[in-house]
Amino acid sequence: MSTAEILGNREYKYGWVTDIESETIPRGLSEDTVRLISAKKDEPEWMLEFRLKAYRNWLTMKEPRKWPNIEYPEVDFQDMIYYSAPKQKATKASLDEVDPELLRTFEKLGIPLSEQKQLAGVAVDAVFDSVSVATTYKEKLRKVGVIFCSFSEAVREHPEIVRKYLGSVVPTNDNFYAALNSAVFSDGSFCFIPKGVRCPMELSTYFRINNSESGQFERTLIVAEESAYVSYLEGCTAPKFDRNQLHAAVVELVALDDAEIKYSTVQNWYAGDEDGKGGIYNFVTKRGKCAGRNSKISWTQVETGSAITWKYPSCILLGDNSIGEFYSVALTNHAQEADTGTKMIHLGKNTRSTIVSKGIAAGRANNSYRGLVKIMPKAENARNYTQCDSMLIGSNCSANTFPYIEVMNNTSRVEHEASTSKISEEQLFYLMQRGISQEDAVSLIINGFCKDVFLQLPMEFAVEATRLLGLKLEGAVG
Amino acid sequence: MLEIRNLHASVDGNEILKGINLTINKGEVHAIMGPNGSGKSTLAKVLAGHPSYEVTGGEVLYYGKNLLDMSPDERAREGVFMAFQYPVEVPGVSNAQFLRLAYNEKQKHLGQEELDPLEFKDLLKEKAALVEMDASFMTRSVNEGFSGGEKKRNEILQMAVLDPKLSVLDETDSGLDIDALRIVAGGVNKLHDPEKAVIVVTHYQRLLNYIVPDFVHVLSAGRIVKEGGKELALELEERGYDWLKNGANKHTAAPVAS
């Protein structure tokens, strides 16, 4: 059996569909669609204005087709549904009022929401298609001043904070997909950690796409005030459909003086079948602003799913002495394509950034790292360290590295290291000669390769990520 | 324990082993010697199941079972161990993590108790003393940044942990200074008992001063051309391999009875 075959034979276990009655709006996108979504959510005027401005920007923009190293058919933006929500009461007094079918769906995904079964130590916001269906531990968090709720609720209950920060990191005209998201986003998560508070538990959002015709456009905003700390996790899955679905999210993080935000993702959207049929187009804009002095934002991502991934979680290092980190594992198999990396924009003095990227390609997959390190004239003594490693499994896949480095002062230091390797027959034979099965041997080698990134994940997530890579690799060497 | 009958094997279409016959019983130490390119290492790798080597004829019975039918990991779990001439590096995987996985695979296979990381640490400490390795090696990535001597000691540590019935040491002496050679050989000797067998593949007689063989087999051009006791190794040290090579050529040229 070849490595590629080991990778190939794995069934996607989240591929089922929940049978639930949904309220959807007609296909297509126009100014009326934007107004309709805003009306459905009963939004204030300023929110509608934000959306309309974004929509008008979007109309003038072009899809980024040329520069990313990915290929996919034309996306028909008029042949898509921009809002789909399970039918249920708009506001829920308690979790007991959530449709049991939805609770069952999330329980099956390993995310129990009901009071008795909630995960200890982790508060969860569960997003199903276009809406948030439940958020756990809200009251407990509220007691220490932490606001964790759906984005829609935040717009209703905390408009002053949302208005202040929304679009402050990713402007509505930032890029084609961010503009689209800003016009039609339906829900997502909102976290606010007030001054001096260390969030007592991990916050997390679980995203589930269920409807085969709709895209998911979620919006996440995390604000950490002075000296606040939060660790946030997100996970995502979708059923197996033959047609592609679009997922275009925007995530904005803001860290004030001495604040720290740790953002971890384990992405396992449906990747399409072996021939590349179906799967999610994951076109996501994630960006954090280290606005204050000594602030820190750390992105850790484990990207294993999606037919196509286009994603560059970035840091704007504005505050002096601020720190940006990006740790990434991107695994692509079969016909999957990923063009992912980061941007570290150094503006403040003594700002530091670290980039560790591990790309793994198998099957016919195409895996690219694309990263920008930009050091502006005033960012004196800025430092960056970048390490980019690729591993190839089999001989039909490819890995590419596109590093862009722009340094505009002479007191800064930038280091870049890169390597490409293959799982060798000798390595496998060595491990197998000690009694380890071929599949476990592949898993062990890959997990060793990704170790520097997994060390950054919270414990439970690290275990999940290790297991997930093992599953994805089951069936790939020889 | 092991019965090799008329074994033929090739790599990339070139026949390297041209009919090996060898019987190994419990408690015995066999040395396989021979000039470079004679097929010594090939024999070791074929016994371990290296995928680059194709068996083109003959059979190998291990406790009466067809060894050649088993995958490399099955052979290992059944107690066949090979100490590599060039141990492989596995970045990011600690020695302890790797060894525990291997150990537990074997335990599972034998229906015996698996060890958690703490219990395993104790076992590892005890075994590491055999080859005079200190604890810092256990947390380091497998063979990464190890010196040549450290890699070879690590091989014997693995042998100690996995407690194989049949150990094949492939040129374990190459690249070792005299102190390391003494430590490695000492480890092998301490592990040996009447239930086990060892095959020592080596070019030089030097290692055999420390691991004393019961039988010496000399390989040339893919065949065993001379067999004897430990004194044969000394004779080879003195006379070299050339006189045997000529013999082998003569043998090759002889008409084959059919």
Side-chain angles (χ1 to χ4, degrees):
Chain A
M1 200 160 39
S2 72
T3 311
E5 281 168 314
I6 290 186
L7 278 169
N9 301 335
R10 190 66 209 176
E11 192 65 10
Y12 181 70
K13 72 180 224 194
Y14 306 103
W16 41 271
V17 186
T18 305
D19 186 13
I20 195 161
E21 207 184 337
S22 287
E23 184 195 2
T24 53
I25 62 172
R27 227 171 262 281
L29 179 57
S30 65
E31 202 164 301
D32 288 342
T33 319
V34 176
R35 287 179 189 280
L36 183 58
I37 292 170
S38 188
K40 286 237 170 263
K41 308 187 80 65
D42 210 4
E43 285 176 349
E45 188 62 24
W46 61 267
M47 196 66 249
L48 175 63
E49 284 309 315
F50 178 90
R51 291 177 180 277
L52 289 173
K53 191 176 151 209
Y55 176 70
R56 286 166 199 146
N57 276 324
W58 180 73
L59 288 175
T60 68
M61 299 171 96
K62 281 212 164 61
E63 213 180 326
R65 304 272 334 192
K66 287 210 174 115
W67 59 265
N69 190 25
I70 47 180
E71 272 178 47
Y72 56 97
E74 199 71 29
V75 177
D76 184 350
F77 292 94
Q78 295 305 331
D79 189 33
M80 207 178 293
I81 293 170
Y82 287 86
Y83 184 86
S84 170
K87 275 192 180 157
Q88 58 173 353
K89 271 198 264 178
T91 47
K92 302 166 289 290
S94 80
L95 286 165
D96 303 336
E97 291 177 34
V98 176
D99 186 325
E101 190 57 37
L102 287 172
L103 292 179
R104 268 197 294 279
T105 296
F106 282 97
E107 191 157 341
K108 203 167 156 189
L109 293 167
I111 317 289
L113 300 171
S114 63
E115 306 263 349
Q116 309 80 13
K117 296 181 190 161
Q118 285 169 1
L119 302 169
V122 185
V124 182
D125 183 26
V127 177
F128 187 89
D129 285 336
S130 299
V131 294
S132 163
V133 295
T135 310
T136 62
Y137 291 114
K138 257 160 82 175
E139 289 316 308
K140 186 176 171 190
L141 290 166
R142 184 60 60 85
K143 280 183 192 139
V144 292
V146 172
I147 303 170
F148 181 45
C149 63
S150 75
F151 203 89
S152 309
E153 187 180 326
V155 170
R156 279 196 308 273
E157 309 287 330
H158 311 282
E160 67 299 338
I161 312 176
V162 174
R163 208 171 168 179
K164 183 170 174 190
Y165 293 106
L166 182 68
S168 71
V169 186
V170 179
T172 52
N173 62 353
D174 188 78
N175 68 69
F176 183 84
Y177 289 108
L180 177 64
N181 173 286
S182 301
V184 302
F185 74 85
S186 39
D187 216 337
S189 299
F190 173 76
C191 317
F192 177 79
I193 324 297
K195 192 171 171 176
V197 172
R198 195 180 163 88
C199 188
M201 51 173 43
E202 309 263 359
L203 304 185
S204 81
T205 305
Y206 195 93
F207 295 99
R208 175 74 174 172
I209 298 179
N210 193 59
N211 189 318
S212 70
E213 312 276 328
S214 71
Q216 190 173 58
F217 305 92
E218 90 267 2
R219 190 100 196 176
T220 300
L221 175 61
I222 301 177
V223 178
E225 284 195 330
E226 290 84 353
S227 303
Y229 168 84
V230 64
S231 167
Y232 175 91
L233 327 167
E234 79 180 339
C236 26
T237 58
K240 289 160 80 161
F241 293 122
D242 282 346
R243 55 182 285 163
N244 302 100
Q245 292 126 285
L246 180 62
H247 172 252
V250 171
V251 175
E252 296 178 281
L253 313 182
V254 180
L256 302 186
D257 286 357
D258 303 299
E260 180 176 350
I261 301 173
K262 200 170 154 54
Y263 191 108
S264 313
T265 305
V266 173
Q267 186 262 107
N268 189 20
W269 294 119
Y270 178 53
D273 69 9
E274 287 175 37
D275 303 321
K277 198 161 195 228
I280 303 284
Y281 290 167
N282 192 32
F283 299 149
V284 170
T285 305
K286 290 184 170 178
R287 197 174 300 156
K289 183 152 84 180
C290 283
R293 290 173 61 87
N294 310 318
S295 56
K296 179 175 174 183
I297 288 178
S298 180
W299 299 99
T300 305
Q301 60 170 15
V302 177
E303 302 282 317
T304 65
S306 296
I308 299 177
T309 297
W310 177 95
K311 180 183 172 189
Y312 315 91
S314 305
C315 296
I316 298 168
L317 302 171
L318 185 61
D320 289 349
N321 314 320
S322 60
I323 298 173
E325 293 176 337
F326 174 73
Y327 297 96
S328 169
V329 166
L331 171 73
T332 49
N333 188 17
H334 300 313
Q336 275 180 281
E337 297 178 272
D339 191 301
T340 184
T342 184
K343 290 187 274 188
M344 293 290 174
I345 315 292
H346 293 253
L347 294 159
K349 293 185 185 68
N350 307 315
T351 45
R352 281 179 287 155
S353 62
T354 303
I355 299 170
V356 176
S357 163
K358 306 280 181 176
I360 304 154
R364 295 172 285 128
N366 188 359
N367 196 315
S368 301
Y369 165 81
R370 186 183 303 277
L372 168 68
V373 175
K374 189 169 187 170
I375 297 183
M376 301 303 280
K378 285 184 180 161
E380 290 163 20
N381 299 312
R383 277 159 63 183
N384 163 266
Y385 172 74
T386 300
Q387 188 190 336
C388 253
D389 299 319
S390 311
M391 182 174 272
L392 301 172
I393 302 175
S395 44
N396 299 319
C397 51
S398 66
N400 303 281
T401 303
F402 304 99
Y404 304 84
I405 298 170
E406 297 172 29
V407 181
M408 295 176 220
N409 68 44
N410 55 16
T411 55
S412 297
R413 205 168 80 205
V414 174
E415 289 175 70
H416 183 96
E417 287 180 22
S419 76
T420 301
S421 55
K422 276 187 108 161
I423 288 193
S424 72
E425 196 172 65
E426 289 303 319
Q427 254 179 340
L428 276 179
F429 176 62
Y430 187 69
L431 297 175
M432 288 173 74
Q433 210 301 306
R434 300 306 185 238
I436 296 169
S437 71
Q438 183 169 264
E439 287 176 2
D440 288 347
V442 171
S443 235
L444 198 64
I445 294 167
I446 297 282
N447 280 303
F449 176 71
C450 301
K451 188 179 136 196
D452 294 344
V453 175
F454 287 172
L455 282 176
Q456 301 296 327
L457 288 171
M459 184 68 121
E460 300 77 10
F461 251 39
V463 172
E464 169 67 14
T466 306
R467 196 188 60 86
L468 190 57
L469 284 201
L471 290 180
K472 288 267 169 181
L473 289 167
E474 213 167 272
V477 191
Chain B
M1 174 190 277
L2 189 74
E3 184 92 38
I4 303 174
R5 291 182 191 150
N6 194 29
L7 182 64
H8 291 252
S10 57
V11 60
D12 297 331
N14 300 319
E15 188 167 58
I16 310 285
L17 299 184
K18 299 171 180 169
I20 303 281
N21 292 289
L22 190 61
T23 300
I24 290 170
N25 298 307
K26 288 196 294 195
E28 294 175 351
V29 176
H30 290 248
I32 310 279
M33 300 186 69
N36 291 329
S38 60
K40 305 185 298 281
S41 281
T42 298
L43 177 61
K45 285 175 180 161
V46 166
L47 291 177
H50 194 292
S52 298
Y53 296 83
E54 192 192 349
V55 174
T56 50
E59 59 179 354
V60 179
L61 298 176
Y62 174 69
Y63 285 103
K65 280 192 267 185
N66 184 353
L67 186 73
L68 302 176
D69 268 357
M70 300 183 211
S71 64
D73 49 323
E74 282 170 334
R75 297 181 200 197
R77 292 191 291 268
E78 287 287 340
V80 176
F81 178 89
M82 180 171 103
F84 282 57
Q85 181 178 5
Y86 304 108
V88 180
E89 298 182 1
V90 191
V93 177
S94 79
N95 228 0
Q97 180 192 2
F98 157 60
L99 276 173
R100 190 171 75 91
L101 181 62
Y103 178 82
N104 282 342
E105 286 296 328
K106 193 199 81 176
Q107 293 295 96
K108 211 188 312 178
H109 178 73
L110 298 176
Q112 288 169 4
E113 194 198 356
E114 297 178 41
L115 297 184
D116 67 31
L118 282 176
E119 295 165 331
F120 186 70
K121 205 176 159 190
D122 292 339
L123 176 86
L124 202 50
K125 208 171 151 189
E126 175 196 322
K127 302 293 181 188
L130 276 177
V131 282
E132 299 177 27
M133 282 177 89
D134 73 70
S136 69
F137 284 96
M138 306 313 146
T139 50
R140 282 168 61 182
S141 294
V142 179
N143 294 324
E144 202 183 29
F146 285 29
S147 72
E150 287 165 350
K151 283 183 182 173
K152 294 297 173 75
R153 275 196 273 165
N154 202 23
E155 292 295 289
I156 306 306
L157 170 66
Q158 295 173 39
M159 177 176 157
V161 169
L162 297 173
D163 195 29
K165 294 178 196 149
L166 174 67
S167 301
V168 184
L169 312 182
D170 186 12
E171 310 241 4
T172 295
D173 52 336
S174 70
L176 287 188
D177 63 30
I178 200 75
D179 292 328
L181 187 69
R182 192 181 41 74
I183 294 170
V184 164
V188 173
N189 288 334
K190 278 177 234 165
L191 293 169
H192 192 56
D193 69 39
E195 291 303 309
K196 296 173 184 164
V198 180
I199 299 174
V200 183
V201 174
T202 181
H203 185 84
Y204 299 105
Q205 189 270 339
R206 193 173 72 144
L207 177 64
L208 305 180
N209 286 335
Y210 298 91
I211 304 172
V212 181
D214 302 301
F215 303 94
V216 175
H217 313 269
V218 182
L219 225 62
S220 182
R223 290 192 179 87
I224 292 176
V225 293
K226 182 96 181 157
E227 293 178 303
K230 62 183 175 198
E231 63 290 342
L232 176 56
L234 292 168
E235 192 180 350
L236 287 169
E237 184 80 354
E238 219 165 277
R239 298 178 63 187
Y241 288 109
D242 280 350
W243 59 288
L244 287 168
K245 260 191 200 167
N246 295 337
N249 287 340
K250 232 182 283 165
H251 184 77
T252 315
V256 179
S258 56

